[in-house]
Amino acid sequence: MPWHVIAQAIATQTGKAFKVEHKGSVGGGCINTAYKITGLDRREYFVKFNRADKLEMFEAEADGLRELAKAQAVLVPEAIGTGIAGRQAYIVMEYLPFGGSDQGATRHFGGQLAQLHRCTSDRYGWQRDNTIGATHQPNDREDSWLDFWRQHRLGYQLTLAKSSGYSSRALNKGEQLLDQLEVFFTDYSPPASLLHGDLWGGNFAISFSGEPVIFDPAVYYGDRETDLAMTELFGGFSADFYAAYNEAWPLDAGYKTRKTLYNLYHIINHYNLFGGGYGQQAEDMLDRLLSEAG
Ligand code: ADP
């Protein structure tokens, strides 16, 4: 690995020479190879590598971290830079030591997430596309949330599912749902909130100093309920967290139904990435949503 390229990027960005003294691999990621690097001067950074053609993915991640940081609501690692080192694309960011004990941090995060969601845009989408897992995520700006969700989220994943070999029976159910989406949005029109976009438990941590941290985002502006729904998809967030969020910004009663709709996006994405039982799980969700749509 040409570490001198990474060291140069750190030196340029921070205005202070950097020489890598130690590097150790970090596990736990789903997509990339990750390292913690330490400089001669003890400064620490977190670096992820992937194939060179994934540079845009890292650029979008860095932009996402910067967008979240601007909101000053939740701590995120500072993005230092992205580029190509040898045959690999890289992203380098501030290393944050994780593993602090909760001591109210998850509850605190509930209020912070509501604060993040209070940062709004006049349109849904974002200034650039990014990725969700390893899948392209289009963020074309739209004035209507329903149009955005139909076209750039659910519709987009269903089109990919067709190429992934999803059954025509399930795809037909998906088409039916796309035609009936309005039903889930009577009396509900969410503001375009700044979203983490991929808020499962694996992208949340508590720093050694007890601060909630979020990372590895798939940022865009959309319905805040999508972030909440994803926290429920694979678990990991305490009742305290939801109580604090609801205190800060109560959720609409229709969230209970829409959360299945919103998580369907992620489950179809998982089917597209990993196949297996996710196809059936998505079809069960489609059945439930279609029966609720009447
Ligand atoms: P991937 O993009 O491959 O999913 P992640 O961004 O989730 O990788 O990072 C992998 C693991 O590295 C995380 O689960 C987390 O424990 C750790 N990690 C991520 N970002 C940082 C950071 N800035 N500082 C310290 N550790 C980090």
Side-chain angles (χ1 to χ4, degrees):
M1 203 69 73
W3 290 103
H4 64 278
V5 178
I6 312 289
Q8 186 54 52
I10 293 171
T12 307
Q13 185 59 30
T14 61
K16 198 169 163 211
F18 186 83
K19 197 157 176 15
V20 179
E21 187 190 46
H22 182 265
K23 54 223 169 252
S25 72
V26 178
C30 304
I31 317 272
N32 307 293
T33 316
Y35 293 88
K36 171 189 178 182
I37 57 171
T38 310
L40 282 173
D41 58 2
R42 316 310 309 156
R43 279 188 289 160
E44 295 175 330
Y45 293 95
F46 180 75
V47 190
K48 294 198 286 191
F49 292 99
N50 207 318
R51 293 196 324 255
D53 62 356
K54 297 286 183 184
L55 177 59
E56 251 185 71
M57 173 182 80
F58 284 150
E59 288 170 347
E61 181 175 345
D63 282 351
L65 288 172
R66 291 183 187 115
E67 189 85 4
L68 293 174
K70 265 196 293 181
Q72 297 190 318
V74 193
L75 179 62
V76 294
E78 182 193 352
I80 303 294
T82 53
I84 299 286
R87 288 210 209 134
Q88 301 239 276
Y90 71 84
I91 178 169
V92 51
M93 66 187 82
E94 173 185 13
Y95 180 85
L96 289 170
F98 298 156
S101 58
D102 194 317
Q103 315 253 4
T106 316
R107 180 178 172 78
H108 186 43
F109 177 53
Q112 290 183 326
L113 184 66
Q115 198 187 330
L116 180 77
H117 290 162
R118 294 269 186 206
C119 299
T120 54
S121 170
D122 53 353
R123 278 186 298 165
Y124 305 94
W126 197 33
Q127 70 208 23
R128 65 175 300 161
D129 292 354
N130 47 18
T131 57
I132 182 74
T135 309
H136 181 76
Q137 176 166 269
N139 290 322
D140 309 55
R141 286 190 157 129
E142 300 287 349
D143 292 323
S144 146
W145 171 244
L146 191 50
D147 290 348
F148 181 86
W149 186 259
R150 180 183 277 131
Q151 194 181 337
H152 306 302
R153 290 294 178 266
L154 190 52
Y156 184 76
Q157 288 289 345
L158 284 168
T159 304
L160 294 181
K162 194 171 181 185
S163 326
S164 308
Y166 205 24
S167 72
S168 48
R169 184 193 59 228
L171 286 168
N172 282 338
K173 290 177 186 175
E175 286 301 320
Q176 279 177 49
L177 185 65
L178 286 177
D179 286 343
Q180 295 177 47
L181 278 186
E182 283 83 358
V183 175
F184 300 96
F185 294 91
T186 47
D187 305 327
Y188 182 69
S189 122
S193 291
L194 176 54
L195 304 173
H196 177 282
D198 193 8
L199 197 54
W200 69 291
N203 287 340
F204 165 79
I206 300 169
S207 75
F208 264 154
S209 52
E211 272 288 291
V213 187
I214 50 175
F215 50 94
D216 204 12
V219 161
Y220 66 102
Y221 286 82
D223 186 354
R224 65 198 176 103
E225 288 182 354
T226 59
D227 265 354
L228 272 300
M230 189 150 199
T231 64
E232 293 197 57
L233 187 55
F234 302 114
F237 294 84
S238 63
D240 266 8
F241 160 77
Y242 297 103
Y245 186 95
N246 267 291
E247 253 167 54
W249 194 356
L251 285 164
D252 183 87
Y255 165 67
K256 283 193 183 62
T257 309
R258 281 185 297 270
K259 87 178 166 194
T260 307
L261 175 67
Y262 289 151
N263 282 338
L264 178 61
Y265 171 70
H266 295 292
I267 295 300
I268 301 179
N269 185 39
H270 275 63
Y271 169 75
N272 287 325
L273 290 168
F274 311 116
Y278 290 113
Q280 188 56 54
Q281 189 178 348
E283 196 171 341
D284 292 345
M285 291 165 96
L286 282 164
D287 286 340
R288 219 174 322 144
L289 287 161
L290 285 170
S291 87
E292 266 159 37

